[in-house]
Amino acid sequence: MRPTIVKDNQPLPSNLAVLKFGGSVLSDAQAVHSAAHEIYRFVRRGEKVIAVVSAIAGETDALMALAKDVGGCENAPGKASLLRLGEIRAAALLALALERVGLDARAVDPAEIDLRAEGSPDDAGLCGLNHDRLAALLAAHEVLIVPGFSGVLEDGQPALLGRGGTDLSAVYLGVALNAKRVRLIKDVDGLYAGDPKTDPNPRRFGQINWEDAREICGHSIQDHALEYAQKHDLRLEIAASARAFDTRIAPNSASSHAPAQTRKLKVALLGFGTVGEGVYAHLDRHQDLFEVSGILVRDAAKERDSNAPAHLISTDAGEVFATRPDIVVEMIGGVDAADAFILNAFFGGADVVSANKAVMAANYDNLHAAAARAGRALRYSAAVGGGVPMLEALDQARKNGGVASVQGVINGTANFILDRLAEGCPFDQAVREAQEKGFAEADPSADLDGDDAAAKLCLMARHGFEMPLRANQISLESLSDLDQASIDAAREAGKVIRQISEIRRDDKGALHASVSLQALDKDHYLAAAKGEQNRLVINLQNGQNLFLRGKGAGRWPTAEAVMADLLDIHRLRGQYEENVSVRAPEPACA
Ligand code: NAP
Ligand code: HSE
């Protein structure tokens, strides 16, 4: 029997991923950023995400002690009201982390979706939810964050779902919403036939059935949750953040095997500015996966935000490459030096991640050929859209029916400056502010004159149309030519000026591209991009439109996209090194 659902006619997304983050993953408040990486990974694959969270490690115990201390009795009526606050706090922290990246995320209180509990307030089950409300929230946001471990009794009082109850919250939502995947994210990458923390040679299951999982995994997954999943034939994935493998819980058990130890990857950072320092902060929190081997800068004496050890920072590229990195992350900008460094990285056997649209657009074919010759990965998601996965969306759109045209706001600096000008800010000051916020290119004329957007269009042409487009084929209009009278006239006419970048394929298959300044109606989808936000409309050949939006510039959105590429490469290398085929590897751009 399916759960009771208050339902109207709102359709549910067909590509829903329920990701559950337990206390072992949310080890402290900063660990929400690791959860954000995992969520971003699925969002950029085109999946809607419901993140179900436990409290930050230790908080439930602390609240329990407080309940006992103040209430004097473990089962005092207010206990559930107090204990659920741990999950609510974790959900709010995760919402902040996702907002920093630019994902459209919304924390949802269980009462808001009438997540109905039944039974004892200490150890309740779940029995219903307001499907229509949840569907409407899912339609409006990329990510919903639901605090696990509690529901609401018929009389409106909260109830707890027992120890490990967040597993039940995730499984219940997965069944009720017919999720494509329910992934329980833990601190180990699957279910083992022993304790991987103490057993030197444990065997890990590729797939296991629900009963065997209950027997073998002790209480690492809540019993009620496993029972509920089995009853509703819900398959589960048991996984660790950022790891290549997982265990599937499904009707049939398959063989287990001894996993290889995945080694840490050495990463060299070329550039330690707005983006580079953000990437370093993420890598520093993932010392189990990555080790920063060197950081290349122009001026070693410059004051930095980061606490990176001085011995890592060098102005000598030879010294940085001599650390023999597995991955080189290019974040210096420009074309010639960046190109030479990327080629050198391939020559030395490293994979490359770049945030640099200028070099990728100028030398696209050469760089891809060099990567192929060296048998290495070349990733550059951050080069277009900042934290908005535009290239990935174009890849998917191209494969699923084809792209007719694209139109977007794809330069955060220009958009920020246009907003400031409309507010009456002088031009020079608006440019200075964009620089101070880390949005602008080293030479901001690239943003103002449309060259930055043009480089992005060149990359979009490759991914959306599989066609070359040269920057000199793109007509450009510069912000520097915009006068105050035009801005005032647009405002008075209820319009908003935007830098609009477009590619259109004509009947003969030729591409036409431009970066122009257009006065749009206020309610136009692209007019609503605020500040550094980017927005994109992909017109598909079947007449449908895809809409994307998010933060297109700045440290954290951009570092998130770079980190996603790094984690993908780590997973791919993990699969290679483990050299066992538990199931088909994920596609290269997963
Ligand atoms: P940034 O703040 O100006 O930082 C550039 C860094 O590269 C600095 O650390 C600089 O060293 C170093 N550098 C520059 N040229 C060098 C050279 N020839 N040799 C050694 N080091 C060199 O730039 P950013 O904003 O981080 O942008 C980096 C790249 O990411 C660019 O390609 C940009 O287009 C792209 N991107 C940026 C954003 C964004 O929002 N900022 C978003 C998406 C993509 P010093 O620190 O010593 O000067
Ligand atoms: N300068 C660029 C912008 C950075 O403002 O969009 C992101 O690519």
Side-chain angles (χ1 to χ4, degrees):
M1 206 180 67
R2 292 252 143 190
T4 312
I5 290 167
V6 180
K7 196 167 179 179
D8 202 357
N9 287 320
Q10 274 277 5
L12 285 168
S14 58
N15 55 351
L16 178 66
V18 175
L19 309 180
K20 178 255 169 176
F21 297 93
S24 64
V25 179
L26 301 175
S27 51
D28 60 29
Q30 293 298 330
V32 291
H33 295 303
S34 304
H37 299 330
E38 197 68 10
I39 291 167
Y40 184 81
R41 172 185 172 212
F42 286 96
V43 169
R44 86 170 183 169
R45 287 164 64 140
E47 297 183 23
K48 280 263 179 188
V49 173
I50 294 187
V52 182
V53 293
S54 296
I56 306 291
E59 289 197 355
T60 303
D61 287 345
L63 289 169
M64 194 108 70
L66 190 60
K68 207 169 171 183
D69 192 27
V70 174
C73 157
E74 268 216 32
N75 292 322
K79 188 176 134 190
S81 304
L82 184 66
L83 260 60
R84 70 192 279 275
L85 296 182
E87 277 68 18
I88 304 242
R89 182 167 177 270
L93 288 169
L94 181 55
L96 284 172
L98 293 171
E99 191 184 305
R100 186 173 86 160
V101 168
L103 288 187
D104 179 359
R106 160 86 145 75
V108 177
D109 193 288
E112 201 183 339
I113 50 170
D114 202 10
L115 187 58
R116 189 59 64 86
E118 62 180 0
S120 136
D122 260 36
D123 193 15
L126 288 170
C127 61
L129 59 78
N130 186 335
H131 169 287
D132 214 37
R133 176 76 185 128
L134 199 45
L137 285 164
L138 276 168
H141 303 281
E142 281 175 306
V143 181
L144 298 183
I145 308 163
V146 177
F149 186 46
S150 73
V152 186
L153 293 167
E154 204 175 356
D155 65 1
Q157 294 269 10
L160 303 177
L161 307 183
R163 197 152 198 93
T166 304
D167 287 341
L168 180 59
S169 309
V171 166
Y172 184 84
L173 287 168
V175 171
L177 304 176
N178 206 11
K180 174 177 165 180
R181 75 173 78 243
V182 176
R183 195 169 172 87
L184 307 183
I185 297 161
K186 312 221 164 242
D187 57 350
V188 282
D189 58 350
L191 291 182
Y192 283 75
D195 182 349
K197 287 179 184 147
T198 51
D199 185 342
N201 197 16
R203 296 184 72 74
R204 185 182 55 211
F205 293 94
Q207 187 167 305
I208 189 169
N209 68 36
W210 294 284
E211 285 111 24
D212 289 348
R214 264 212 301 280
E215 207 168 293
I216 279 161
C217 73
H219 298 294
S220 73
I221 305 172
Q222 196 207 36
D223 268 358
H224 294 320
L226 278 174
E227 275 163 26
Y228 196 81
Q230 181 170 12
K231 190 165 147 199
H232 295 283
D233 195 26
L234 179 80
R235 286 134 213 262
L236 297 170
E237 300 169 6
I238 312 301
S241 295
R243 297 288 176 170
F245 285 88
D246 52 36
T247 296
R248 303 290 163 112
I249 305 184
N252 302 314
S253 282
S255 62
S256 62
H257 64 279
Q261 289 301 315
T262 312
R263 71 185 175 86
K264 271 190 205 191
L265 297 182
K266 278 202 271 181
V267 180
L269 304 182
L270 311 186
F272 207 41
T274 301
V275 185
E277 290 209 52
V279 173
Y280 178 83
H282 287 322
L283 294 175
D284 196 37
R285 262 197 310 276
H286 286 84
Q287 292 184 21
D288 53 330
L289 304 176
F290 299 105
E291 173 195 348
V292 176
S293 62
I295 300 173
L296 182 68
V297 296
R298 266 178 316 210
D299 174 4
K302 199 190 251 184
E303 214 169 282
R304 319 249 166 208
D305 298 338
S306 145
N307 59 355
H311 74 266
L312 288 180
I313 298 177
S314 170
T315 55
D316 179 350
E319 194 174 283
V320 173
F321 279 102
T323 63
R324 301 186 61 80
D326 299 294
I327 311 177
V328 169
V329 189
E330 185 276 303
M331 301 165 289
I332 64 171
V335 175
D336 291 341
D339 183 69
F341 289 147
I342 293 174
L343 294 176
N344 198 40
F346 290 142
F347 184 69
D351 294 317
V352 171
V353 175
S354 173
N356 180 347
K357 74 286 299 199
V359 72
M360 286 310 311
N363 297 342
Y364 188 91
D365 289 321
N366 279 347
L367 291 174
H368 278 84
R373 265 197 312 276
R376 301 285 18 136
L378 171 60
R379 298 297 181 86
Y380 45 89
S381 178
V384 180
V388 190
M390 292 187 178
L391 297 179
E392 291 79 0
L394 284 165
D395 283 334
Q396 286 176 20
R398 191 190 72 241
K399 289 175 196 155
N400 300 326
V403 178
S405 63
V406 293
Q407 188 185 43
V409 169
I410 60 172
N411 183 279
T413 301
N415 205 61
F416 174 88
I417 291 172
L418 284 166
D419 271 359
R420 292 294 287 128
L421 295 179
E423 289 160 8
C425 176
F427 189 85
D428 289 349
Q429 187 187 324
V431 174
R432 232 178 6 259
E433 286 177 15
Q435 288 176 305
E436 282 162 12
K437 287 176 182 288
F439 303 151
E441 294 302 300
D443 175 359
S445 66
D447 300 295
L448 302 172
D449 297 344
D451 296 309
D452 179 83
K456 290 169 179 164
L457 285 179
C458 294
L459 295 175
M460 290 165 91
R462 300 288 190 156
H463 286 256
F465 302 89
E466 273 188 312
M467 286 174 71
L469 173 70
R470 287 193 313 277
N472 63 11
Q473 293 173 280
I474 303 173
S475 65
L476 305 180
E477 245 182 291
S478 176
L479 246 72
S480 311
D481 298 333
L482 192 64
D483 55 27
Q484 193 58 44
S486 311
I487 295 165
D488 295 342
R491 195 180 43 240
E492 276 154 31
K495 291 183 182 266
V496 182
I497 298 183
R498 292 284 171 243
Q499 186 198 57
I500 299 297
S501 302
E502 300 175 85
I503 309 178
R504 183 177 55 78
R505 194 198 322 236
D506 70 18
D507 296 344
K508 294 188 183 115
L511 297 185
H512 301 270
S514 61
V515 180
S516 61
L517 298 174
Q518 298 183 18
L520 304 178
D521 286 337
K522 266 193 176 133
D523 56 1
H524 191 289
Y525 180 73
L526 299 179
K530 293 277 176 275
E532 79 276 25
Q533 201 183 51
N534 277 195
R535 287 186 172 216
L536 186 70
V537 185
I538 303 175
N539 312 118
L540 300 176
Q541 279 174 10
N542 65 11
Q544 288 181 333
N545 291 326
L546 300 177
F547 299 89
L548 279 82
R549 63 177 187 209
K551 289 185 183 170
R555 171 168 292 168
W556 297 116
T558 312
E560 192 64 37
V562 171
M563 193 64 189
D565 283 346
L566 282 165
L567 289 168
D568 269 0
I569 289 175
H570 196 284
R571 270 187 292 269
L572 285 171
R573 287 207 177 209
Q575 283 167 345
Y576 175 75
E577 278 165 25
E578 193 145 324
N579 196 23
V580 354
S581 174
V582 173
R583 62 192 171 89
E586 291 181 29
C589 64

